Amino acid sequence: MSSVTTLVIGGFVLNAKPLEFITSQLKSYHYIDVNQLPPEFTLQSQAQGIISQYAYDKQNIQIIAYSCGGLLALTLLQLAPDNIHKLVMLNSTPCFMVQENWQGISNTNLQRLHQRLNKQPLAEFANYFTMLAAYPKTIDKKHAQQWQNLAAKRDTLIIWLELIEQSDLRPIAAKFAARIVWINSATDSLIPNPAQNSNHKIIGDATHLRMSPDYLQYIFEAISHE
């Protein structure tokens, strides 16, 4: 049997800290930082680069994707379905924007993020977003910095907001539903609970930023293999 490669894909603005309780339990994994992708990228171009690096021969891949990293993960699943046998989506969704019969971010709220990102110093924007991710829990600016990706680039973040606005990957999620597990925090202020998605778990006492150890049970059940 071929070995299994685990990819962990992070989220917008944040560093790997939200996922450390998961990664500390993995024997090996490759972390993909969405905040440091080169300028002018697309989901497809980045997915192709990842595939060329990790999806060689019949290599089996399992993905744990957090927040907007789920969009990249779903694109990977679409482009390399023979390699990717399991995808765990953490506080993520195939469609971030509100649509007919679909919960999501309102256009007004997304435009507010765009305006803040364009007008505020990047550190100030990062503090604002981290506090949103922590809500309804509170977090001070000093503590918030521990969760932020200090190497994040404004141009990259702007592209990610555009991808969040434009991407609707629900057809991919529906096509590969049997391979996807959705795990979401009950009090996530950024990502609505995905009642529309099959095979989903809602975890109490957890926010978008702070996931609880209860996630581990479902994650490792999902990625366990013979």
Side-chain angles (χ1 to χ4, degrees), residues 74 77-79 81 94 169-180 182 198:
L74 287 169
L77 183 53
Q78 180 186 37
L79 297 180
L169 304 187
R170 284 178 287 174
I172 301 174
K175 181 178 180 180
F176 297 102
R179 303 191 203 178
I180 305 173
W182 307 84
S198 61

Side-chain angles (χ1 to χ4, degrees), residues 3-19:
S3 61
V4 175
T5 295
T6 300
L7 303 181
V8 178
I9 306 179
F12 182 78
V13 171
L14 306 173
N15 56 27
K17 184 175 175 61
L19 297 164

Side-chain angles (χ1 to χ4, degrees), residues 4-216:
V4 175
T5 295
T6 300
L7 303 181
V8 178
I9 306 179
F12 182 78
V13 171
L14 306 173
N15 56 27
K17 184 175 175 61
L19 297 164
E20 65 182 4
F21 76 99
I22 300 168
T23 56
S24 65
Q25 303 299 313
L26 296 173
K27 292 181 179 179
S28 64
Y29 66 93
H30 302 277
Y31 183 73
I32 298 172
D33 184 357
V34 303
N35 298 288
Q36 296 188 54
L37 299 179
E40 300 181 6
F41 65 89
T42 65
L43 292 174
Q44 289 72 23
S45 68
Q46 290 310 306
Q48 289 288 4
I50 294 168
I51 289 168
S52 65
Q53 185 173 3
Y54 297 109
Y56 49 85
D57 298 328
K58 296 182 179 180
Q59 181 70 9
N60 285 327
I61 297 172
Q62 57 193 14
I63 303 175
I64 301 171
Y66 171 57
S67 194
C68 73
L71 295 177
L72 180 56
L74 287 169
T75 305
L76 284 164
L77 183 53
Q78 180 186 37
L79 297 180
D82 294 337
N83 293 95
I84 299 167
H85 69 90
K86 184 61 65 176
L87 167 57
V88 182
M89 300 276 278
L90 303 178
N91 292 350
S92 191
T93 175
C95 178
F96 281 77
M97 301 302 296
V98 64
Q99 304 285 347
E100 183 179 358
N101 299 320
W102 185 264
Q103 292 178 300
I105 303 169
S106 70
N107 185 65
T108 298
N109 285 338
L110 185 73
Q111 294 311 312
R112 287 172 180 162
L113 284 177
H114 268 294
Q115 292 170 5
R116 284 180 175 272
L117 181 56
N118 283 313
K119 295 180 179 180
Q120 291 181 328
L122 190 53
E124 187 174 335
F125 175 81
N127 285 335
Y128 172 76
F129 184 84
T130 307
M131 291 177 185
L132 281 181
Y135 187 84
K137 305 290 185 180
T138 59
I139 186 171
D140 59 45
K141 289 184 178 180
K142 183 176 181 180
H143 190 198
Q145 291 175 359
Q146 299 176 17
W147 300 80
Q148 295 165 13
N149 190 316
L150 300 181
K153 299 177 177 61
R154 189 186 303 271
D155 290 346
T156 300
L157 298 181
I158 289 173
I159 293 174
W160 268 112
L161 287 184
E162 293 170 351
L163 290 173
I164 287 170
E165 181 177 18
Q166 299 166 6
S167 300
D168 185 350
L169 304 187
R170 284 178 287 174
I172 301 174
K175 181 178 180 180
F176 297 102
R179 303 191 203 178
I180 305 173
V181 174
W182 307 84
I183 309 178
N184 283 70
S185 300
T187 56
D188 190 332
S189 63
L190 296 175
I191 307 299
N193 295 338
Q196 304 96 332
N197 296 321
S198 61
N199 199 21
H200 71 275
K201 307 288 185 182
I202 304 298
I203 309 298
D205 193 29
T207 66
H208 189 79
L209 185 70
R210 295 177 182 273
M211 293 172 279
S212 73
D214 291 339
Y215 275 70
L216 285 174

